[in-house]
Amino acid sequence: GLGSDSCSLCGPGEFTDVAEQSACSQVRPGYRTNITDDGLHIGEVACLPGTFSLGADDCSPCTQSSFTATPAQSTCTNVQPGYRTTATADGLRIDEEACPLGTFSLGADTCTACLAGEVSDTPASTACKVCEPGTSTKTDQTACEICVAGEYSGLGSDSCLLCGSGEFTELAKQSACANVRPGYRTNIT
């Protein structure tokens, strides 16, 4: 300071980048203090993608379900519904990507697989749809398939079932089998 015999060190979140300065500067949001090995605060450095700072000595990683895609950010962005975060090898959340078919997300680090009898037939889904009666899910949970004649299914089925002995369906997409009338038999193909 002015009229002082010694220099003062800058405090947390402060720096000087020029010798013989009378005051320390505040680190800007999105940046961290550049601290030398001997503890001198000599400047500021932009926070990396996946981290943020309000103007402090360190950058903090984005927390669950949020990310920063560019350097020098003061806040992290929340993942939008239907998306998940992408991360670097060291776990920094740096972007978001659409959830693939067969999954959904309300805006999280991961996408959740649809349950048996449910499907997600578009990328970036926020929910799974229940398969209608007379249909069943494909194994990858991406579409409901129609049950063929001789098969049936109920609401939210993960497979079509064959009609039992003495039962039939003449049409595809049936929710139940009909009983064969007395004096008739099923036409087995």
Side-chain angles (χ1 to χ4, degrees), residues 12-121:
E14 297 178 329
F15 70 96
T16 58
D17 53 1
V18 179
E20 299 180 18
Q21 245 179 321
S22 61
C24 297
S25 300
Q26 181 67 41
V27 175
R28 294 176 291 165
Y31 290 77
R32 67 169 176 81
T33 310
N34 186 9
I35 303 174
T36 64
D37 290 340
D38 54 356
L40 298 176
H41 297 207
I42 61 168
E44 58 183 356
V45 178
C47 292
L48 297 173
T51 66
F52 74 101
S53 172
L54 298 176
D57 285 345
D58 294 307
C59 299
S60 300
C62 292
T63 58
Q64 188 172 1
S65 305
S66 67
F67 68 96
T68 58
T70 56
Q73 297 302 305
S74 61
T75 61
C76 297
T77 303
N78 289 330
V79 177
Q80 60 185 320
Y83 287 73
R84 65 180 171 198
T85 57
T86 59
T88 62
D90 56 355
L92 295 177
R93 295 170 178 91
I94 59 168
D95 208 350
E96 64 181 350
E97 66 182 3
C99 288
L101 300 178
T103 67
F104 75 99
S105 168
L106 298 177
D109 286 336
T110 59
C111 300
T112 303
C114 295
L115 299 174
E118 297 180 341
V119 297
S120 163
D121 55 2

Side-chain angles (χ1 to χ4, degrees), residues 148-152 161-169 174 176-178 186:
V148 298
E151 296 179 341
Y152 72 100
L161 304 171
L162 292 173
C163 292
S165 178
E167 297 179 324
F168 73 100
T169 62
Q174 298 301 303
C177 296
T186 57

Side-chain angles (χ1 to χ4, degrees), residues 110-141:
T110 59
C111 300
T112 303
C114 295
L115 299 174
E118 297 180 341
V119 297
S120 163
D121 55 2
T122 59
S125 290
T126 57
C128 296
K129 303 174 204 168
V130 176
C131 288
E132 298 176 0
T135 67
S136 68
T137 56
K138 291 175 65 172
T139 55
D140 60 3
Q141 309 303 98

Side-chain angles (χ1 to χ4, degrees), residues 143-165:
C144 296
E145 294 183 316
I146 295 174
C147 297
V148 298
E151 296 179 341
Y152 72 100
S153 74
L155 179 67
S157 292
D158 62 347
S159 63
C160 295
L161 304 171
L162 292 173
C163 292
S165 178

